[in-house]
Amino acid sequence: MDSEGRRKFLGVCLAGTAAAAAVAAGYPVFRYLAPRSGATGLQKLVISAADLHEGEAKFFEYGGSSAVLIKTKGGEMVALSAVCTHLGCIVQWVKEQQHFLCPCHGGQFATDGTVLAGPPPKPLARIPVTVTGGNITIG
């Protein structure tokens, strides 16, 4: 094999190795950023009403993402997506102030999901809730 043939062979090997490394490094990033699959059929979730007291929030997973159930000071049950509409962070419940706070950029949401302050462009998505007897049905 002459030197030009070796050079082409090594170039092809180097290009193949670089492509394999790029795929190996890029795949986990792609899987992290891609939306979860398999969340097409939303299940109903039943929670005991005794598990939630007035002014408290209960976080749970619904439809493949984080959600939250709040029992307002007036006794109303509200279920919302817990994913901030700005960059997708999970909001936190601030019990003392009775609102949600996004830890990423300081977005604030009311108990009904409306934006109070910060950069979020739209309110938190609402999830249907029904209360029957001593059970809360979400979905």
Side-chain angles (χ1 to χ4, degrees):
M1 194 184 268
D2 62 345
S3 65
E4 189 171 322
R6 264 189 301 221
R7 188 174 296 138
K8 282 185 181 180
F9 175 75
L10 290 174
V12 169
C13 288
L14 183 61
T17 303
V23 169
Y27 182 73
V29 173
F30 170 75
R31 290 297 298 155
Y32 176 75
L33 295 175
R36 292 182 183 172
S37 61
T40 55
L42 298 177
Q43 300 286 328
K44 291 192 182 280
L45 179 66
V46 179
I47 299 174
S48 172
D51 291 347
L52 193 63
H53 302 288
E54 207 170 88
E56 291 185 353
K58 181 174 180 70
F59 287 83
F60 57 94
E61 187 160 320
Y62 179 77
S65 99
S66 293
V68 62
L69 176 67
I70 313 120
K71 186 172 185 179
T72 65
K73 291 283 186 180
E76 180 188 6
M77 296 289 185
V78 180
L80 303 166
S81 168
V83 179
C84 179
T85 56
H86 178 230
L87 291 177
C89 303
I90 304 301
V91 296
Q92 298 173 350
W93 176 245
V94 182
K95 186 176 179 180
E96 299 78 32
Q97 298 171 348
Q98 294 292 297
H99 72 255
F100 293 100
L101 174 67
C102 178
C104 299
H105 295 102
Q108 295 178 14
F109 298 91
T111 55
D112 65 352
T114 56
V115 178
L116 296 175
K122 53 187 178 177
L124 297 173
R126 290 191 75 129
I127 301 170
V129 176
T130 56
V131 181
T132 310
N135 291 327
I136 305 164
T137 305
I138 302 164

